[in-house]
Amino acid sequence: GAVVSQHPSRVICKSGTSVKIECRSLDFQATTMFWYRQFPKQSLMLMATSNEGSKATYEQGVEKDKFLINHASLTLSTLTVTSAHPEDSSFYICSARRLGENIQYFGAGTRLSVL
Amino acid sequence: KQEVTQIPAALSVPEGENLVLNCSFTDSAIYNLQWFRQDPGKGLTSLLLIQSSQREQTSGRLNASLDKSSGRSTLYIAASQPGDSATYLCAVNTDKLIFGTGTRLQVFP
C-alpha cells in the first residue's frame, strides 16, 4: 500500500503563533506533495504543490509568506502557518504522489483552531 | 479553467434504495477521476479511481462510470445502508486534483 501520515491531527493555538504540520510518506518516496485546505461545509481547495528539493508552487490567492512549505526529503513535507489568525482555522490535508504515477495518497488531515 | 460540479448537493433516502450521484467537469483533458468518501470531521477515503481510458470501475456495492467526452461521471450505490451516510467527493486529475462541491448523503433506517 501507500500510506501517508499527517501530524498533528488536531492543534489549538493562540493568535499570532506559528504552527507546523508534517506530512510523511511511510512506505514510498514522494517526489510531489500537495497541500489542501477545507473550510466547513466546503470542498477541498489546493493551496500549493511542492516538489522535493525545489520551491513550492502556490495557487492563486494563497500567501506564500504566510504558508511556508518545505519539502526537503522524498518522504517529508511540512506546512508552517506563520502568525496564525482565527481566519486560518481550517482543516488542512496533505497528499503525496510517487514518481511516474498519477495517483495521490492522502493523509488524515489536521484540524487547526486559532483562538 | 477546470470546474467540477456535483449534483445533488444533498440527498436523504431510506435504506435499501439504489442511488446515483453525479459529477460533471468542464475540461475533458484529464488523467483520471476519483471518488472519495469523507465522514464528518475526518479525512478522505478513496473509493474508486477511473483512468481516462476506462469506462467504469466497481467495488462491492459501488460502481463508477466515466464519460470523458461529455465530462461526466456517476457513482452508483446499490442497496444503500445507514453506514453509507457521508459526503461524497469526486475529483478530476489534470496533474493536480480539482475537487467537486460534494454530495452530502444521509441514509436513514
Side-chain angles (χ1 to χ4, degrees):
Chain A
V3 180
V4 175
S5 173
Q6 189 173 338
H7 179 81
S9 59
R10 183 174 184 114
V11 59
I12 302 172
C13 68
K14 292 182 179 179
S15 184
T17 61
S18 293
V19 174
K20 180 184 283 189
I21 303 170
E22 291 188 349
C23 182
R24 293 180 186 272
S25 56
L26 298 185
D27 52 359
F28 67 99
Q29 292 186 329
T31 51
T32 306
M33 287 187 171
F34 303 84
W35 288 95
Y36 297 84
R37 180 168 54 184
Q38 185 180 34
F39 290 109
K41 298 193 185 303
Q42 296 187 23
S43 192
L44 276 75
M45 297 297 293
L46 179 65
M47 299 175 66
T49 302
S50 79
N51 292 296
E52 186 266 337
S54 63
K55 289 184 178 180
T57 302
Y58 290 81
E59 295 298 304
Q60 192 172 11
V62 178
E63 299 175 58
K64 64 179 181 180
D65 294 331
K66 180 166 186 64
F67 299 99
L68 301 180
I69 293 173
N70 184 280
H71 191 167
S73 79
L74 285 172
T75 59
L76 174 64
S77 177
T78 61
L79 168 68
T80 301
V81 183
T82 61
S83 186
H85 290 284
E87 59 265 29
D88 298 321
S89 298
S90 187
F91 192 54
Y92 293 86
I93 307 179
C94 73
S95 70
R97 187 175 71 191
R98 273 191 277 231
L99 179 66
E101 280 192 6
N102 268 318
I103 300 172
Q104 294 181 29
Y105 302 95
F106 283 82
T110 297
R111 183 159 304 283
L112 171 64
S113 299
V114 184
L115 305 179
Chain B
K1 179 187 173 186
Q2 179 74 267
E3 293 185 2
V4 184
T5 306
Q6 290 184 244
I7 293 173
L11 189 59
S12 181
V13 299
E15 68 175 315
E17 283 202 5
N18 299 322
L19 308 173
V20 176
L21 308 183
N22 298 290
C23 173
S24 61
F25 47 97
T26 55
D27 186 345
S28 62
I30 65 172
Y31 293 122
N32 53 55
L33 182 146
Q34 204 163 354
W35 283 92
F36 294 90
R37 169 187 173 137
Q38 186 176 32
D39 292 288
K42 304 293 185 182
L44 303 179
T45 299
S46 179
L47 298 173
L48 290 164
L49 182 145
I50 312 175
Q51 299 290 354
S52 63
S53 59
Q54 297 175 321
R55 298 284 292 182
E56 66 177 338
Q57 283 286 332
T58 298
S59 176
R61 293 183 293 109
L62 305 179
N63 175 276
S65 66
L66 174 64
D67 184 343
K68 204 173 69 163
S69 60
S70 66
R72 294 183 181 182
S73 176
T74 60
L75 177 67
Y76 178 82
I77 304 176
S80 58
Q81 303 170 358
D84 295 329
S85 299
T87 295
Y88 290 80
L89 296 167
C90 70
V92 297
N93 190 348
T94 61
D95 197 39
K96 54 187 179 184
L97 281 180
I98 308 298
F99 281 84
T101 45
T103 294
R104 286 192 303 280
L105 173 64
Q106 183 179 12
V107 182
F108 53 89

